[in-house]
Amino acid sequence: MSEVETIKAYPFLLNGEWQNTTSERTIEIESPSGAETPGAVQAMTESEVNAAISGANEAQKNWARKSFDERAQVLHSWADQLLLMKDEIAEAIMKEAGKGLSSAEKEVVRTADFIKYTAEEGKRLHGELINGGSFNAGSANKFALVNRNPIGVVLAISPFNYPVNLSAAKIAPALIGGNAVVFKPATQGAISGTLMIEALDKAGLPSGLVNLVTGKGAEIGDHLITHPLIDLINFTGGSQTGKSISQKASMVPLILELGGKDPAIVLEDADLDKAAADIASGGFSYSGQRCTAIKRVLVQDEKADELVAKIKEKMNGLKVGAPEDSADVTPLINSKAADYVTGLIDDAVEKGAEVASGNQREGNLIYPTLLDSVTKDMQIAWEEPFGPVIPVIRVESVDEAINIANESEYGLQASIFTKNMEQAIQIGNELEVGSVQINGKTERGPDHFPFLGVKSSGVGGQGIRKSIESMTREKVTVLNMTQG
Ligand code: NAP
């Protein structure tokens, strides 16, 4: 038997049936650590993609007629099934995304919590009644009933780094809002995506309501995003991919969660131990492959030496190694990603940055790297590495920190470390970002908080309630009462 024949090829779910593609082409998933492949997924054909979209369009009509309570029951049951499959799904996340096993397990549990909260939040979705008489004379006989209706078929495209959580964060709110979903997981994350849909299928998913599409984004992406039966695109991934989608998908509502370059701004009165601990864990956990990872430190000169020393100390507590050992820093998703990070480090070092710690590489594993005295002419000051490297930029004033923070093309989150709350709030108001964390690391969640990016970091809002609102549409019915 040849080596290829021993690889498990996962099927896709199309209109209630688990199937293999008629193209007979599969895509082998790479192991980030260079271990054997965890399996393969189907490279679906355009006609199978068309069937997935039209099947979802058909299924949505019945689903929209179900009560919120009936929809919520499917979601609750999905969360239960996910927990029953926790070990299998966590293992898949570990193997294809290279995430530490315990973090992968936490991702599954967090996702089940997310789905259950979404089910309950959806039940509380209601409209409003607007009294016409509160506007100009002559409108007192009018009432507007404003209701929230489903949008139709949501195309959910997710990234590799949280293949289960960020996929459910699109699918669950879409479903509770009465939509159908065509779900295209990241290829490097498609096995985890397939398993979570298996859990949903076991939970009693109506046929066609969520169809799974596997295949390379570069091959089937354009076809998916320009299909006339797609009513909304909910995408998480790189800014370049997001921008290209927004250019091609004309007149289709978009929710885009994209890249970031989140700064930690450390003021001279900050609790440096707390700041250093948050910077080390916020910057290096899961090897910095998080959209909200701390991706640069802006520190006032007077405290820079002390802060760098403390971050280095905290970095000693990071576990570097294999996902199976639940390491914090594990091999990056592929060699292209690792080469990119190495290139950014080399560029900074050539231009005079000091390596305070790290700068070692073994295959796709890059040791956590802290670069001091980074200046604005270095690429690492602006680019998103999506790897375990943090540049420290020393600033002379708070204004300089704000300016450098805002010069970035990105605007996801920012952290401010200071004991002066009033100043923190003032700085936060000036930062061009979706969220500001005062005395805490940048991070997504708790999942019911609103979550959004500005500039190249995104379009539209998410976070459980916001996500349901973003994937439903207001419908206004005006009652014109007879005047007595
Ligand atoms: P990516 O390369 O942009 O891929 C994301 C998704 O888009 C994958 O499913 C990919 O499929 C698909 N895709 C690729 N080309 C496409 C096309 N032409 N049309 C439609 N879909 C296409 O991003 P990634 O490397 O998976 O994720 C890392 C990035 O995501 C980082 O920049 C990170 O900051 C960002 N991110 C942002 C957030 C947030 O909430 N703001 C959260 C997590 C990650 P294939 O896998 O088949 O190529």
Side-chain angles (χ1 to χ4, degrees):
M1 194 182 268
S2 80
E3 200 190 322
V4 174
E5 283 166 320
T6 63
I7 295 171
K8 175 169 182 181
Y10 289 81
F12 56 86
L13 180 66
L14 174 60
N15 298 331
E17 306 266 335
W18 288 95
Q19 306 182 18
N20 290 332
T21 174
T22 54
S23 77
E24 295 182 0
R25 279 179 55 225
T26 56
I27 305 167
E28 204 176 294
I29 306 301
E30 280 176 49
S31 155
S33 348
E36 71 181 42
T37 171
V41 294
Q42 312 285 321
M44 286 170 67
T45 62
E46 275 192 11
S47 74
E48 285 160 350
V49 171
N50 290 342
I53 299 172
S54 53
N57 172 269
E58 225 11 76
Q60 192 264 335
K61 297 176 177 71
N62 260 335
W63 182 248
R65 289 186 203 109
K66 304 257 185 227
S67 69
F68 281 102
D69 190 52
E70 284 171 296
R71 296 179 203 159
Q73 278 173 29
V74 174
L75 293 190
H76 277 296
S77 168
W78 183 20
D80 293 341
Q81 290 296 334
L82 272 181
L83 292 175
L84 289 174
M85 291 173 70
K86 184 182 94 179
D87 294 346
E88 189 184 355
I89 297 177
E91 193 180 317
I93 297 174
M94 178 190 80
K95 286 186 171 167
E96 62 181 342
K99 187 175 289 182
L101 184 59
S102 67
S103 299
E105 286 166 352
K106 281 186 200 143
E107 180 173 337
V108 181
V109 174
R110 174 182 175 184
T111 303
D113 287 346
F114 182 103
I115 294 169
K116 283 183 176 287
Y117 193 105
T118 303
E120 293 308 305
E121 189 71 7
K123 285 187 196 167
R124 287 159 188 72
L125 197 68
H126 52 73
E128 60 178 338
L129 184 144
I130 303 176
N131 189 337
S134 54
F135 197 58
N136 53 19
S139 303
N141 66 323
K142 292 177 188 286
F143 292 93
L145 301 175
V146 186
N147 207 359
R148 285 214 160 261
N149 285 358
I151 287 190
V153 177
V154 170
L155 171 61
I157 304 181
S158 54
F160 78 83
N161 61 341
Y162 286 86
V164 169
N165 187 261
L166 289 177
S167 304
K170 304 177 185 319
I171 299 169
L175 290 181
I176 198 76
N179 302 288
V181 177
V182 172
F183 166 44
K184 189 242 168 290
T187 297
Q188 200 70 33
I191 296 177
S192 319
T194 301
L195 293 174
M196 69 184 277
I197 296 304
E198 189 184 319
L200 178 54
D201 191 33
K202 285 180 187 164
L205 176 76
S207 167
L209 188 65
V210 176
N211 279 329
L212 173 65
V213 169
T214 53
K216 296 253 186 210
E219 288 175 19
I220 55 170
D222 283 359
H223 187 71
L224 272 169
I225 62 173
T226 55
H227 194 289
L229 291 180
I230 293 296
D231 299 302
L232 181 144
I233 300 172
N234 188 334
F235 170 85
T236 302
S239 295
Q240 224 178 331
T241 321
K243 282 179 187 171
S244 143
I245 290 175
S246 77
Q247 279 157 5
K248 290 175 185 160
S250 62
M251 292 297 286
V252 174
L254 292 173
I255 303 167
L256 303 174
E257 294 184 342
L258 310 175
K261 186 71 182 169
D262 294 359
I265 299 177
V266 184
L267 304 192
E268 55 189 349
D269 69 341
D271 174 343
L272 293 186
D273 284 308
K274 163 80 174 144
D278 278 3
I279 289 166
S281 73
F284 294 121
S285 59
Y286 186 33
S287 317
Q289 296 176 113
R290 297 166 43 248
C291 58
T292 54
I294 288 180
K295 294 181 182 139
R296 50 194 169 138
V297 173
L298 301 166
V299 57
Q300 286 194 285
D301 246 340
E302 300 81 348
K303 294 291 173 180
D305 287 344
E306 203 181 333
L307 180 70
V308 167
K310 283 183 189 286
I311 300 173
K312 275 175 69 176
E313 198 185 297
K314 303 289 177 194
M315 286 168 70
N316 293 332
L318 293 167
K319 190 167 175 184
V320 181
E324 289 79 357
D325 297 331
S326 291
D328 306 298
V329 179
T330 51
L332 294 185
I333 191 71
N334 54 37
S335 57
K336 193 174 157 208
D339 291 346
Y340 180 62
V341 175
T342 306
L344 291 176
I345 297 173
D346 290 346
D347 171 75
V349 171
E350 269 167 35
K351 291 177 181 157
E354 288 163 34
V355 178
S357 183
N359 197 14
Q360 262 178 278
R361 175 172 172 182
E362 286 161 20
N364 294 343
L365 178 66
I366 295 189
Y367 280 69
T369 301
L370 185 67
L371 295 177
D372 194 3
S373 303
V374 166
T375 47
K376 286 169 59 178
D377 57 327
M378 301 173 189
Q379 291 174 45
I380 192 71
W382 308 110
E383 302 289 324
E384 179 188 44
F386 229 55
V389 52
I390 302 182
V392 176
I393 303 174
R394 294 167 177 242
V395 295
E396 284 174 11
S397 66
V398 172
D399 282 346
E400 188 185 355
I402 296 171
N403 288 339
I404 296 177
N406 285 345
E407 255 179 75
S408 168
E409 69 162 300
Y410 297 106
L412 195 54
Q413 295 202 349
S415 288
I416 304 168
F417 291 93
T418 174
K419 296 197 182 86
N420 185 337
M421 269 303 142
E422 205 180 324
Q423 189 178 19
I425 290 169
Q426 279 165 357
I427 296 171
N429 283 341
E430 292 193 36
L431 293 174
E432 296 163 1
V433 293
S435 315
V436 174
Q437 303 269 356
I438 297 176
N439 292 323
K441 62 188 171 205
T442 48
E443 64 183 351
R444 192 187 176 111
D447 288 320
H448 63 305
F449 284 3
F451 180 77
L452 68 155
V454 302
K455 303 201 284 189
S456 289
S457 290
V459 170
Q462 302 235 60
I464 293 177
R465 187 163 188 91
K466 280 263 171 269
S467 296
I468 302 172
E469 287 172 359
S470 299
M471 290 190 276
T472 47
R473 172 182 286 146
E474 283 182 324
K475 174 79 171 276
V476 185
T477 304
V478 180
L479 301 180
N480 291 279
M481 319 290 277
T482 315
Q483 277 170 321

